[in-house]
Amino acid sequence: MRVLTPAPPAPLPSSEAGAFAADLHAALRGTPRQISPKYFYDTAGSALFDAICELPEYYPTRTEHQILQACGRDMAAHIGTSVELIEFGAGSCVKVQALLDHLGPDLRYCPIDISGEHLALSTARLARRYPGIEICPVVADYTAALSLPDAGSRRRVGFFPGSTLGNFTPDEALQFLRHAARLLRGGALLIGVDLIKHPDRLHAAYNDRQGITAAFNKNLLQRANQELGSNFEPDQFDHSAFYNAPLQRIEMHLVSRRPQTIELQQQRYTFEQGQTLHTENSYKFTIDGLRHLAAQAGWQAGTVWTDPEELFSLHWLIAP
């Protein structure tokens, strides 16, 4: 396998730290206070998320993996040959292995992730397992403008597992799908989405007994302290996650345990007891709902793979 040096992120108006600072200031000034979940994923946050995926309560990763294992050969047949496979938010590059096991060597794999260090470690491990495949990692925010290698004669196919689409607002999800349709024109997208189910099962998945999801949530505050010099006290915030049934989404918050003042780059922000910083949404879908959303974004809906309990689904979307 030939592994290329990760490409640097596409040029941004400010550094990553500057963007984080600007977004955190905006969040703390806002009503309600909310920030993008992309800031969870520094090296520590990525490792914590990997640990979450191994928890017994956290069914999405396990169930999606089972679907990929059971249907990977069929999915690979849909993907075909002479392909550039682009994974959005690749993380540990684990799920894609169920596809790589059935794809030939005439493949370029382009994992995209915002955490460069984590991506470098993941692709190094992948290189040892698949010595015949070219890997071209890209360090970038995949929701922004992307600079990808020239695909040449290869057809581009996207891979977006994990129901990460559910972290977007409905408008953001539609915008991402439109952006992906342009990027993958003439190709396709294999996308995983979590399905609506009993609230008790959802609550357990985001409130694990070991407290790893809570640590993941609070790591955003640790990251702000380390990178931006703020003075958050993570122990003075509680993790709160619940299913908002009317909006069909899990909401994750950090709840202030007492009145406190936060200093961020010489500005002060106060939290009242019980006031929250909204850190993540995870929207849940029906199969028909996802297909309708995809059609709005210009995709043609194709095959759907799911598990026997219909907890999770993977969709093949075609970009005309």
Side-chain angles (χ1 to χ4, degrees):
M1 173 179 288
R2 181 162 66 94
V3 181
L4 305 182
T5 302
L12 297 172
S14 60
S15 67
E16 184 178 342
F20 183 21
D23 285 352
L24 186 54
H25 279 295
L28 295 176
R29 288 192 214 103
T31 304
R33 290 174 164 172
Q34 54 189 359
I35 191 166
S36 169
K38 70 183 180 182
Y39 293 115
F40 284 141
Y41 297 98
D42 62 351
T43 301
S46 295
L48 283 166
F49 184 72
D50 286 347
I52 287 170
C53 292
E54 299 297 325
L55 292 168
E57 300 98 329
Y58 195 73
Y59 67 86
T61 301
R62 180 174 60 254
T63 307
E64 185 178 38
H65 179 73
Q66 290 168 353
I67 298 169
L68 286 164
Q69 288 295 318
C71 306
R73 188 179 298 276
D74 187 28
M75 294 173 184
H78 280 65
I79 293 169
T81 58
S82 190
V83 163
E84 182 176 73
L85 183 63
I86 299 168
E87 182 172 3
F88 301 99
S92 296
C93 302
V94 171
K95 294 175 184 175
V96 74
Q97 294 176 33
L99 304 176
L100 297 180
D101 286 343
H102 302 291
L103 292 169
D106 184 21
L107 172 76
R108 177 192 285 162
Y109 171 54
C110 294
I112 304 170
D113 202 85
I114 199 169
S115 176
E117 183 178 352
H118 193 63
L119 184 61
L121 292 171
S122 301
T123 52
R125 287 194 298 266
L126 205 65
R128 293 190 289 271
R129 177 164 178 169
Y130 299 95
I133 297 174
E134 179 182 349
I135 300 181
C136 188
V138 177
V139 181
D141 177 355
Y142 60 80
T143 64
L146 287 171
S147 178
L148 295 175
D150 183 1
S153 61
R154 291 183 172 93
R155 186 171 59 102
R156 280 182 169 160
V157 174
F159 182 46
F160 195 36
S163 202
T164 307
L165 188 74
N167 294 147
F168 301 152
T169 67
D171 285 345
E172 289 169 343
L174 182 60
Q175 181 180 349
F176 170 80
L177 287 172
R178 284 174 173 161
H179 167 68
R182 291 191 295 270
L183 185 70
L184 304 171
R185 185 172 288 117
L189 175 68
L190 179 62
I191 183 170
V193 294
D194 197 10
L195 299 176
I196 292 172
K197 57 189 61 64
H198 196 284
D200 287 351
R201 194 156 197 170
L202 291 167
H203 180 83
Y206 292 85
N207 293 277
D208 64 278
R209 294 180 182 181
Q210 297 180 49
I212 295 175
T213 309
F216 173 70
N217 198 4
K218 293 182 183 183
N219 182 67
L220 186 145
L221 307 180
Q222 298 277 23
R223 182 180 181 187
N225 289 348
Q226 292 167 5
E227 297 184 15
L228 307 179
S230 58
N231 68 334
F232 285 102
E233 296 181 55
D235 289 345
Q236 295 304 315
F237 287 84
D238 288 325
H239 164 74
S240 174
F242 58 90
Y243 183 55
N244 184 331
L247 296 181
Q248 298 181 344
R249 72 187 190 191
I250 285 282
E251 294 186 16
M252 208 151 75
H253 295 253
L254 289 164
V255 186
S256 180
R257 300 183 68 181
R258 59 173 174 80
Q260 53 186 308
T261 300
I262 304 303
E263 294 184 3
L264 174 64
Q265 297 178 326
Q266 300 181 333
Q267 295 191 42
R268 293 186 174 187
Y269 302 95
T270 59
F271 276 85
E272 301 300 326
Q273 183 179 10
Q275 192 171 10
T276 80
L277 175 62
H278 187 168
T279 53
E280 184 178 49
N281 291 319
S282 183
Y283 283 85
K284 309 305 172 185
F285 298 86
T286 64
I287 289 173
D288 287 343
L290 188 280
R291 290 165 69 90
H292 176 71
L293 180 65
Q296 285 183 282
W299 295 92
Q300 294 176 1
T303 305
V304 181
W305 298 271
T306 189
D307 60 285
E309 292 184 83
E310 294 198 348
L311 300 175
F312 202 92
S313 61
L314 285 127
H315 298 247
W316 182 254
L317 305 178
I318 301 162

